[in-house]
Amino acid sequence: MGALVTLDLPDDSPMLGLPWIITFGPLGDAEEWEPVVCGPYERPHALALAESVVADEQLMAVVEPLLPAVSADEIRGEITSARIAAEDEIAEVEEADLYGDFEDTIDEELEEAAAREPHGEPRTPPTEEQLRAGFRRIASRLTGPAD
């Protein structure tokens, strides 16, 4: 059993209506290969596909929204936000070093958590027809009038 990571969002979050992607990668350091990115999907489809894939393999699946930026300034703003978040994370890791090396334990902790967690059956992955209908809805939202 692998691990699935996604955002925990309130039911009224506007992010739920965005297109979502799945990034599959190795669960730990034992394997090294380039992550595989799939999508865009509607969120329920992305979650069901990710659950289905990681149910049988030791993989990490990250399900996250795609932010359709419509200008270079929007992209720059997202890059700035990502840089600030990375700096904050580095500061947190450095603080954690006071109590041990965070980087050495994170992969082991992820693997242990995945092994301990009770797992139900993964959702049934959507059919190709359901995915294509989702693609059409996403395309309509992306090309429709701005809200």
Side-chain angles (χ1 to χ4, degrees):
M1 179 74 153
L4 187 141
V5 178
T6 192
L7 299 173
D8 187 20
L9 298 170
D11 292 338
D12 62 347
S13 173
M15 292 182 83
L16 295 172
L18 291 174
W20 289 67
I21 59 169
I22 312 166
T23 304
F24 294 99
L27 185 59
D29 286 336
E31 290 184 285
E32 277 194 39
W33 43 275
E34 289 297 315
V36 175
V37 179
C38 303
Y41 304 106
E42 292 175 311
R43 187 171 192 262
H45 289 166
L47 290 171
L49 285 168
E51 284 178 4
S52 178
V53 172
V54 300
D56 300 327
E57 297 194 46
Q58 289 291 315
L59 299 172
M60 167 83 70
V62 178
V63 177
E64 59 191 336
L66 246 174
L67 303 174
V70 293
S71 72
D73 286 338
E74 270 188 75
I75 294 169
R76 286 184 189 102
E78 290 299 324
I79 292 168
T80 299
S81 295
R83 286 178 171 156
I84 291 169
E87 289 170 4
D88 291 346
E89 186 176 331
I90 289 169
E92 287 178 23
V93 169
E94 287 173 356
E95 286 177 23
D97 281 345
L98 295 172
Y99 304 103
D101 191 352
F102 177 76
E103 294 296 324
D104 288 343
T105 61
I106 189 66
D107 290 331
E108 293 169 11
E109 289 175 0
L110 282 173
E111 289 174 6
E112 288 172 13
R116 282 193 313 268
E117 225 174 87
H119 304 299
E121 288 297 312
R123 294 180 232 194
T124 303
T127 64
E128 182 177 341
E129 182 179 303
Q130 291 169 323
L131 290 173
R132 291 191 183 283
F135 295 156
R136 286 189 290 278
R137 289 187 293 270
I138 290 169
S140 174
R141 283 193 298 265
L142 292 175
T143 59
D147 293 333

